[in-house]
Amino acid sequence: MSTAGQSIRDIFNAETGTDITTRGWVKTRRDSKGVTFVQLNDGSCFRDLQVVVDAGTIPDDVLASVTTGACIMVHGLLVDSPAAGQPVEVKAQSITVYGDADPLTYPLQKKGHTMEFLREIAHLRPRSNTFGAVFRVRNVLSHAIHTFFQDRGFLYVHTPIITTSDCEGAGAMFGVTTLDLMNLPREPRGGIDYTKDFFGKPAYLTVSGQLEAEVFALAFSNVYTFGPTFRAENSNTPRHLAEFWMIEPEMAFCDLDGDRALAEDFLKFIINSVLDKCADDIEFFNKRIDNTVLETLEHVTKSAFEHVTYTEAVRLLEKADRSFEFPVTWGCDLQSEHERYLTEDVFKKPVIVTDYPKEIKAFYMRMNDDGRTVRAMDVLAPRIGEIIGGSQREERLDVLKERIKAQGLPEEPYSWYMDLRRYGTVPHAGFGLGLERMMMYVTGMKNIRDVTPFPRTPGSAEF
Ligand code: 4AD
Ligand code: MG
């Protein structure tokens, strides 16, 4: 099979009157007197290409197989479409059916399916309008993320997926082992003898590439990672995945104010790229998924983010004219309902909350002079809550050691991390953006499972 043939996106930009060859999957087929209309899509753009088959041009047995779900090649003439709805259409001269699809059993019918049902057919849902749009946006978002950092001279570093240190110190890690679970090697005192395991010690899937990104920032100044991360937390919510992609820039010679400024520029840049390159897809989300999404995105790119400290945020929450399921007092972790109240009701745009109590944040965040708060920041977005978590890092060896101890973490796995403070330490900062949370924000999709090709959540790892 040659690769000659144009994408449907290219065809929409081609001159009418030319011969074209195109391929794709049949969305729908409609027969009317003496003519058949076929809507064809190859994933290259939101719009379907209309193929018009006049009676007698295509052998009946071939046309019989041109049904919803079938994969076909069409050769024909590109003409101006007389009907409203599409600028051009193809007058078919020949059709080849690569693969037919039994219309009685093909699960993806034209009728509107529920998101829950579409999740069960995640192997076919990419062909639907909604998921075509979702995954084109995800692609453009990923490209824009690299462009943003590459244009600013950040070095892309591939941090490991298998790790022996817990970045967040939260213990929510998936173990990686080759030990026989039915016949575990034991230490004299009964514990598992990990010296017999593949890596000679306990190993896990990473929860974050940050610690290793810090190593590279202290050599290359500005770096970022962009890769899969894993959390074994039993959170069955519309915004948690067990496997998600995270973008983590890390900058030497940078404090929390610089970190905050970068996060804002970064979010605005990637939103603009999506608005620019995925106009049809975003228009669809705005029409069919959430009719505030376009306005929200345009507004966000033009207005400054809010900034409040945690202490100010708590004051605002205490003053709120509504009650919360989780009551608020200084020192508590902000729950999703609190985050949403701040962004949706108080500020109506993204808010950056900084300087959280040290007890509720990770060991590596820089201690403030008050001894109670750390230089943490969370970027909160309407509808989603937290989309970014970041901080200035503790660059002072003695303070870092104290923090590791205070959080009850072992020192040994972090010895190399402490070396960075021993040799040529410097103020530095970074953050992590959850790609899927960002996807929810730009598309208006309500469940993180529906912006992820093959979602992994508690009790579910299909496909
Ligand atoms: O706030 P988190 O846990 O921060 C870190 O991991 C830092 N090491 C990042 C850094 O400073 N380099 O996670 C960062 C972001 C969250 O704001 C959220 O967007 C996303 O990762 N995230 C999740 N997304 C989907 N499912 C989950 N279970 C997530 N946990 C975090
Ligand atoms: Mg966080």
Side-chain angles (χ1 to χ4, degrees), residues 167-168 207-211 229 231 233 235 239-250 361 364-365 378-379 386-391 393 430-438 448:
C167 173
E168 293 307 298
V207 295
S208 159
Q210 179 197 320
L211 302 190
T229 49
R231 305 259 166 124
E233 42 191 356
S235 298
R239 17 172 261 137
H240 285 91
L241 290 167
E243 174 181 303
F244 62 98
W245 283 62
M246 187 150 54
I247 301 96
E248 297 181 273
E250 191 69 34
K361 288 293 182 186
Y364 52 71
M365 298 190 180
D378 277 4
V379 181
E386 178 192 337
I387 55 171
I388 282 183
S391 65
R393 318 307 187 190
F431 63 78
L433 169 70
L435 179 68
E436 291 78 7
R437 298 255 175 106
M438 188 64 194
I448 201 162

Side-chain angles (χ1 to χ4, degrees), residues 258-371:
D259 203 26
R260 194 154 57 78
L262 186 86
E264 181 168 344
D265 285 353
F266 172 55
L267 293 179
K268 287 178 174 172
F269 178 91
I270 59 180
I271 290 171
N272 268 323
S273 298
V274 169
L275 288 173
D276 203 34
K277 295 189 180 145
C278 299
D280 288 353
D281 295 320
I282 297 295
E283 188 190 321
F284 166 81
F285 291 121
N286 199 58
K287 237 192 242 155
R288 302 292 294 275
I289 303 292
D290 176 347
N291 60 19
T292 64
V293 98
L294 187 56
E295 188 194 333
T296 304
L297 295 179
E298 283 172 346
H299 176 65
V300 163
T301 59
K302 291 192 192 89
S303 55
F305 289 12
E306 284 298 330
H307 170 213
V308 291
T309 64
Y310 169 89
T311 303
E312 287 161 350
V314 166
R315 224 172 275 141
L316 289 167
L317 290 161
E318 283 170 341
K319 276 201 329 225
D321 50 10
R322 52 160 285 193
S323 59
F324 297 106
E325 191 190 336
F326 295 90
V328 184
T329 48
W330 198 96
C332 74
D333 206 354
L334 297 186
Q335 302 293 326
S336 172
E337 55 171 346
H338 307 137
E339 298 176 339
R340 293 189 57 176
Y341 173 78
L342 292 170
T343 51
E344 289 167 24
D345 297 325
V346 183
F347 298 112
K348 300 184 168 49
K349 59 174 156 174
V351 186
I352 309 186
V353 182
T354 60
D355 302 287
Y356 285 75
K358 63 176 194 283
E359 287 78 13
I360 57 171
K361 288 293 182 186
F363 68 92
Y364 52 71
M365 298 190 180
R366 193 178 198 279
M367 182 71 81
N368 278 319
D369 293 342
D370 63 11

